[in-house]
Amino acid sequence: MKARREVFVVRDGEIRTPPLGASALPGITRDAVLTLARELAIPVTESEVPREMLYIADEVFLSGTAAEITPIRSVDRITVGKGRRGPITEKLQKAFFAIIDGSQPDKHGWLSRWKRGSRCREIIHPAATRSWVRAA
């Protein structure tokens, strides 16, 4: 099974991401990003994202199991936005990690408890990877 990450493009304060029918996987982290964006009143449009849109984006980030929410600094050696994490990506990361680290309650039921030996851990899982982007 090949891992994939979901791409999110921010332009003029709005997030754009491919719809599920565009070969996107219905990943848990993707769903978490969409849910958190709605809660933070960040507009989201699910539509095709042509490669050229990545070049003119204010921000680009990926979501996935290992990536969680990862800002992208450049695409095809073209700097995205200011070349660092943007404010919308930052808001989403902070909200996401606050739930995962327990500083905010998990009102969505995203975390599951499991025991391994004598330790109890919480887990959350998502999905994804694109070779033509470089993480910040």
Side-chain angles (χ1 to χ4, degrees):
M1 179 167 151
K2 187 173 180 179
R4 287 186 12 115
R5 291 187 199 153
E6 295 306 323
V7 65
F8 295 83
V9 176
V10 179
R11 178 86 174 155
D12 299 326
E14 182 178 334
I15 297 172
R16 192 169 183 182
T17 190
L20 288 176
S23 78
L25 298 172
I28 292 170
T29 305
R30 178 185 187 276
D31 182 59
V33 168
L34 297 176
T35 299
L36 292 171
R38 281 191 299 272
E39 290 178 357
L40 295 168
I42 301 168
V44 177
T45 301
E46 291 186 63
S47 63
E48 296 301 320
V49 176
R51 188 182 192 102
E52 297 76 24
M53 181 175 274
L54 301 173
Y55 304 147
I56 62 168
D58 299 323
E59 303 174 43
V60 176
F61 64 90
L62 302 175
S63 74
T65 303
E68 294 170 331
I69 298 174
T70 302
I72 300 303
R73 188 170 48 188
S74 67
V75 177
D76 295 335
R77 298 183 187 193
I78 297 170
T79 300
V80 172
K82 295 181 179 178
R84 60 181 184 270
R85 176 177 69 174
I88 289 179
T89 305
E90 182 177 9
K91 284 180 191 176
L92 290 166
Q93 278 184 316
K94 285 182 177 183
F96 182 81
F97 289 116
I99 293 169
I100 289 177
D101 72 18
S103 60
Q104 290 294 317
D106 174 21
K107 61 185 178 184
H108 307 287
W110 291 335
L111 302 177
S112 300
R113 286 202 164 280
W114 62 281
K115 286 192 176 195
R116 182 176 183 183
S118 60
R119 291 191 199 157
C120 194
R121 297 182 179 198
E122 291 187 329
I123 57 170
I124 187 169
H125 39 86
T129 184
R130 303 223 183 199
S131 60
W132 39 266
V133 294
R134 188 172 63 171

